[in-house]
Amino acid sequence: MDRMVKNTMRKDGKRVGKRARVLAVILVGAMAFGLTGCGGSDDTASDKKRRTDKSSSIGDKLEQMAGNQQDTEDLQPQDGGDYSALSTEEETTEDAAGKDQPGALTGFMPCIYSESTTYYVEDDDYTTLYQKSYDILKLQDGTEEEYPGVKKALDNYNSAMESAGEDYTEEELVATAKEMKENDSLYSYLYDGSTAYIQRVDDNILSILHTFEDYYGGAHGYYGCTGYNYDPSTGEEMSIEDVVSSMDDLKAAAQEMFSRDYAYLIENEPGCEDSLAESFDDPETLCWTLGPEELQLYYNPYHLASYAAGMQIIKIRIADYPDLFNKGIGVAEGDWIIKMPDDGMLEDIDGDGSLDYVDVTFNYFTEDESDYSYLDSIDVVAGNGSKTIVYYGFEEGDVYFIKKGDSFYLYILGTAENDYKFIQMVDITDGNVRDLNSFDGTFTAKDYTYDYGEGYYSATRGLLYNPNFFYVRVRHQYISTLDATAPAEVGDNGEIKLLHDYYDLPTDFCITSKVGLELDEVDADGNVIGKTNISSGTDYYMYRSDGTSYVDCKTEDGKYVRIVIDDSEYPFTVNGIDLEEAFDGIIFAG
């Protein structure tokens, strides 16, 4: 079989490939409880905007997703209340931003999240033949009118994802995969996917890093980055010439940084410097993003050098070239977070005026006489400091560099058994590497959703770019196995700090009492106001819990109650009754 690897290019020369996050279907059986409710499902169309392939049946599969959303209208309080009022310390903060000047970004940043979808085609024996993954970016519900420019920018980005051309149709890739499977005992399915990250969002720019991977057969696939940059006030795409004062000066700065950071490449790959210089002849073909403190130019494999040389990222710090960045876009003010490049980054973390190199290396452990390996530690280098930190995981997670006040931190995402998520937090301030606690969870959207069906699965994913406000998701094993969410920030000690003392639960999950129970009655703010008797057969819709001592529910007749569970030993009990004897619908994942 001939190698089927091409450089898919937009008409302006930018690479349009997508980066596959090669994932297993996420615990479909164990997570099914998250979609289970006491009421029936609704067949009304979802408002989700989905990418459909121009020439395949995948579009039909994605349409099925619209009918699989749980109807939660019956969960609204009958007394005129609002579930959002039950857990909205975060919404009070958000509502205060942008009211006087719709679209203004000053103050609280807009909450942008991703709806990440993977769909796949299987053979008759259920072997995966082809898989596609991609992100659609959205503003948090209810904030679209506050940030119309940002919404338009995200719509433009999503349209670019939907209209991107392909070298091959799905049918061609599936046919190729079948042929490879029949002729190759070491068969690997074909894939095509991408992941989006926010590099910067403020009054000046919304910069999105689009990473991609694909494999169409042969010795290797392809990978790289593309930048999408928008004016946050208008939503229109920005050119590099909107950011820098002179293309000649930009080329000179890029050549200087290239000589500094890629001297070995210049020596071993003749012609790479000429290719770099030629790339500035047409500004529209440059791939770039703007971060809080530097412009990053991306040169994907083959653009400057051979595939074996990898991709090159030229980083031009704004502070080092003030005349180049004189169009009103300077160093970002205040606190910020950026996804750290795979080859590390330079930042003055000790305040001495010189740049310090920061990097994270993942270390694998292989059992004796076995091919099985897993991650058991990470090496963190920060200026003159370094440390090896325990990190048990199955795959390398994204690394985020955080500036909070005068301190600097790293958050390293991880995945362990049963799709268990964690975040290793590290303090690198002053170049002294100190491992902090590990957070048992991950970043998420405010309202986490997980959906799956024949040939696809989809979940919301949080985008980390604001140290002072983001959402986290943890897996609770209290009254059932549930994904719980809460607003959070980077605390003064560098660790994740919840902004209130409870988590929001999926409101479409309910349990039904088998026996009559006397429970605490609570008000909309979670204050206990007395006792109440709940009869057998009552449905309880969960909405809030601290994860350790109580779960607040709304009963079908509109009453708010608190279920206190004794989990000091197994089986768990409520009012001295075995939990599963007290309620129907209890589900614990293994």
Side-chain angles (χ1 to χ4, degrees):
M1 193 69 193
D2 292 336
R3 183 164 63 94
M4 298 178 60
V5 178
K6 292 185 179 180
N7 291 351
T8 308
M9 305 295 288
R10 299 193 331 191
K11 62 182 180 180
D12 61 6
K14 291 184 179 179
R15 182 69 165 78
V16 191
K18 288 137 310 273
R19 182 186 181 206
R21 305 290 288 180
V22 183
L23 304 172
V25 178
I26 307 174
L27 295 173
V28 170
M31 297 299 291
F33 61 81
L35 301 176
T36 304
C38 293
S41 62
D42 184 69
D43 290 329
T44 57
S46 167
D47 63 353
K48 292 183 178 180
K49 183 180 293 184
R50 306 193 184 283
R51 181 176 180 182
T52 56
D53 195 277
K54 60 186 177 184
S55 59
S56 74
S57 61
I58 290 293
D60 296 332
K61 294 178 182 178
L62 296 180
E63 288 300 318
Q64 297 172 14
M65 298 167 70
N68 285 353
Q69 307 305 309
Q70 203 71 20
D71 183 3
T72 58
E73 291 181 359
D74 59 335
L75 303 184
Q76 296 303 315
Q78 303 301 310
D79 57 3
D82 186 337
Y83 267 125
S84 63
L86 300 176
S87 57
T88 53
E89 180 176 331
E90 70 275 25
E91 290 187 1
T92 302
T93 306
E94 293 165 11
D95 290 344
K99 292 298 188 182
D100 295 332
Q101 290 182 300
L105 299 182
T106 302
F108 191 82
M109 290 184 185
C111 281
I112 302 170
Y113 69 94
S114 166
E115 184 181 87
S116 301
T117 298
T118 295
Y119 64 82
Y120 50 93
V121 178
E122 294 181 330
D123 207 349
D124 294 338
D125 62 358
Y126 302 106
T127 301
T128 299
L129 297 171
Y130 174 61
Q131 177 175 289
K132 176 177 287 188
S133 303
Y134 61 93
D135 283 345
I136 292 296
L137 301 186
K138 294 185 175 183
L139 275 171
Q140 183 173 297
D141 291 346
T143 67
E144 295 90 347
E145 292 185 1
E146 297 178 31
Y147 306 105
V150 175
K151 182 181 185 305
K152 183 177 179 180
L154 298 181
D155 288 344
N156 286 337
Y157 173 81
N158 296 336
S159 295
M161 297 301 100
E162 292 172 348
S163 61
E166 305 291 350
D167 277 332
Y168 305 100
T169 65
E170 176 204 327
E171 285 83 357
E172 290 173 325
L173 291 169
V174 169
T176 299
K178 284 187 175 181
E179 183 178 347
M180 292 172 58
K181 179 184 169 188
E182 292 173 357
N183 297 297
D184 186 356
S185 60
L186 299 178
Y187 165 74
S188 177
Y189 62 85
L190 308 187
Y191 60 83
D192 192 357
S194 65
T195 306
Y197 301 90
I198 301 296
Q199 295 291 86
R200 177 169 172 171
V201 54
D202 54 26
D203 291 303
N204 297 305
I205 191 170
L206 168 58
S207 190
I208 301 170
L209 173 63
H210 173 87
T211 65
F212 59 83
E213 271 183 357
D214 55 49
Y215 176 64
Y216 298 156
H220 59 73
Y222 193 74
Y223 68 95
C225 298
T226 302
Y228 291 86
N229 304 279
Y230 300 94
D231 183 332
S233 62
T234 66
E236 299 299 324
E237 191 162 6
M238 295 176 65
S239 164
I240 188 67
E241 293 176 291
D242 295 324
V243 174
V244 300
S245 58
S246 165
M247 290 303 297
D248 288 339
D249 290 345
L250 176 62
K251 178 167 72 172
Q255 290 172 322
E256 183 177 0
M257 292 299 98
F258 188 69
S259 297
R260 183 194 71 179
D261 296 338
Y262 294 99
Y264 68 92
L265 194 66
I266 295 172
E267 182 178 351
N268 293 287
E269 296 270 354
C272 64
E273 289 179 292
D274 293 336
S275 297
L276 175 64
E278 292 169 2
S279 71
F280 294 91
D281 292 344
D282 183 0
E284 292 299 314
T285 65
L286 289 175
C287 296
W288 62 279
T289 61
L290 187 69
E293 299 203 340
E294 65 184 20
L295 174 73
Q296 295 188 356
L297 299 172
Y298 303 95
Y299 291 90
N300 297 325
Y302 298 123
H303 282 207
L304 298 183
S306 63
Y307 183 87
M311 70 177 298
Q312 294 76 46
I313 305 175
I314 298 177
K315 305 162 188 175
I316 303 173
R317 291 182 65 82
I318 299 171
D320 292 342
Y321 296 90
D323 293 336
L324 179 61
F325 298 93
N326 63 4
K327 291 193 172 183
I329 302 181
V331 172
E333 298 180 359
D335 305 328
W336 47 264
I337 301 178
I338 190 170
K339 180 184 180 295
M340 197 165 76
D342 291 341
D343 60 349
M345 63 184 293
L346 295 171
E347 183 64 39
D348 181 10
I349 59 175
D350 56 15
D352 65 356
S354 62
L355 297 178
D356 304 297
Y357 180 64
V358 179
D359 193 22
V360 174
T361 302
F362 294 85
N363 302 316
Y364 288 86
F365 174 80
T366 302
E367 295 181 355
D368 293 338
E369 299 180 358
S370 171
D371 293 332
Y372 178 74
S373 64
Y374 55 88
L375 291 163
D376 67 348
S377 66
I378 53 176
D379 291 334
V380 178
V381 175
N384 293 323
S386 64
K387 187 173 185 179
T388 298
I389 297 172
V390 173
Y391 177 97
Y392 288 111
F394 287 162
E395 61 182 24
E396 298 179 14
D398 291 332
V399 180
Y400 290 90
F401 184 97
I402 301 170
K403 177 185 179 297
K404 180 72 181 282
D406 295 325
S407 299
F408 298 92
Y409 309 100
L410 299 176
Y411 281 4
I412 302 101
L413 277 60
T415 302
E417 291 182 315
N418 294 327
D419 200 43
Y420 177 82
K421 305 294 185 183
F422 65 93
I423 303 167
Q424 179 60 54
M425 301 171 285
V426 183
D427 187 343
I428 59 171
T429 307
D430 299 328
N432 297 314
V433 181
R434 297 176 291 275
D435 51 321
L436 305 174
N437 287 321
S438 178
F439 181 84
D440 295 331
T442 191
F443 303 108
T444 189
K446 178 179 184 293
D447 299 309
Y448 173 71
T449 60
Y450 176 78
D451 188 20
Y452 67 94
E454 182 179 357
Y456 77 88
Y457 52 92
S458 177
T460 49
R461 179 174 66 89
L463 302 179
L464 189 63
Y465 54 89
N466 179 5
N468 300 306
F469 195 92
F470 50 84
Y471 288 93
V472 292
R473 184 178 86 249
V474 302
R475 185 172 294 176
H476 277 188
Q477 302 276 3
Y478 184 58
I479 198 168
S480 280
T481 304
L482 296 170
D483 283 308
T485 63
E489 66 176 349
V490 177
D492 292 338
N493 64 353
E495 298 185 356
I496 292 173
K497 174 186 175 184
L498 300 187
L499 293 181
H500 50 54
D501 58 1
Y502 58 86
Y503 290 87
D504 294 317
L505 300 178
T507 56
D508 59 349
F509 184 86
C510 77
I511 55 178
T512 303
S513 57
K514 295 181 180 179
V515 297
L517 294 169
E518 183 183 58
L519 301 172
D520 289 333
E521 184 173 1
V522 297
D523 60 20
D525 295 322
N527 300 308
V528 177
I529 58 177
K531 294 286 187 179
T532 185
N533 290 305
I534 306 298
S535 62
S536 174
T538 298
D539 291 337
Y540 300 75
Y541 292 91
M542 304 180 192
Y543 65 85
R544 179 170 60 201
S545 173
D546 66 353
T548 59
S549 62
Y550 72 85
V551 174
D552 285 348
C553 305
K554 181 177 183 292
T555 66
E556 56 190 340
D557 62 356
K559 187 175 293 184
Y560 299 102
V561 296
R562 174 164 293 176
I563 300 174
V564 178
I565 295 175
D566 182 357
D567 61 351
S568 59
E569 59 183 6
Y570 189 82
F572 299 170
T573 61
V574 55
N575 291 4
I577 305 170
D578 184 323
L579 183 61
E580 299 196 41
E581 294 296 326
F583 296 102
D584 266 329
I586 300 295
I587 301 177
F588 285 102

